[in-house]
Amino acid sequence: AALLLALQVRLVMKAHSFIRENVPRVLSSVKDKSGTLHIPRISQYLYFLFAPTLIYRDNYPRNPTIRWGYVATKFAQVLGSLFYAYYIFVRLCIPQFRNSNQETFNLRGLVLCIFNSILPGVLILFLVFFAFLHCWLNAFAEMLRFADRMFYK
């Protein structure tokens, strides 16, 4: 459910950017009654939907070739990060809460479980952010030959 919500938010943000960039151009050309309308092509919009950016432009800087080795490395890093996050979750987080069903509820036990899960939880959070924001987006940027990779600026 959270993944679907994140996808919908991304699509709404991209649609907003697309409309915000193109409506003023269309309105100004209609207002001036010039014969040329600057309507973007479907291929430009589809490229924008998959490009790792939220700002619509008709053209983006493009690399001449795709480095498939780089793409494979980034996808391998995604898989490695997810497997490592799963390993941390299974070995460090689940055992903390395993016996909580059998014991009577006490505040001390709950606080200890939460504090013992904070460090593994933060590590999992960092791994998931690294896997998605760095590896996944860079892999798709390379496959789309997207040259403007200023994710961290």
Side-chain angles (χ1 to χ4, degrees):
L3 187 63
L4 187 60
L5 181 63
L7 179 65
Q8 292 298 318
V9 168
R10 181 185 69 90
L11 289 176
V12 166
M13 289 168 61
K14 284 191 176 246
H16 174 73
S17 176
F18 180 78
I19 290 168
R20 187 169 171 104
E21 289 291 323
N22 288 303
V23 166
R25 285 194 289 179
V26 171
L27 291 178
S28 68
S29 64
V30 168
K31 188 179 188 182
D32 297 341
K33 295 184 181 174
S34 60
T36 60
L37 275 176
H38 297 290
I39 298 174
R41 297 187 315 269
I42 297 286
S43 62
Q44 291 172 321
Y45 181 68
L46 286 176
Y47 182 83
F48 169 63
L49 282 181
F50 292 101
T53 182
L54 291 175
I55 300 171
Y56 177 79
R57 298 286 180 254
D58 287 335
N59 295 310
Y60 294 99
R62 307 278 300 269
N63 289 330
T65 60
I66 299 172
R67 299 175 295 172
W68 290 107
Y70 182 79
V71 172
T73 302
K74 290 301 170 191
F75 280 135
Q77 288 176 349
V78 168
L79 286 175
S81 296
L82 293 178
F83 280 127
Y84 190 47
Y86 173 76
Y87 178 78
I88 290 170
F89 187 73
V90 167
R91 293 292 179 185
L92 299 175
C93 291
I94 290 178
Q96 296 295 325
F97 296 97
R98 185 165 306 210
N99 296 329
S100 62
N101 289 354
Q102 299 160 356
E103 298 174 5
T104 59
F105 176 77
N106 62 1
L107 187 60
R108 181 181 181 273
L110 179 66
V111 170
L112 283 175
C113 284
I114 290 173
F115 278 121
N116 288 335
S117 298
I118 286 176
L119 186 61
V122 168
L123 187 57
I124 289 171
L125 186 67
F126 284 148
L127 283 169
V128 170
F129 279 136
F130 171 75
F132 177 70
L133 293 176
H134 180 71
C135 300
W136 187 264
L137 291 179
N138 268 313
F140 273 93
E142 185 66 32
M143 287 189 295
L144 292 171
R145 298 185 302 136
F146 189 79
D148 186 16
R149 300 204 192 152
M150 298 295 176
F151 295 136
Y152 304 115
K153 287 190 177 184

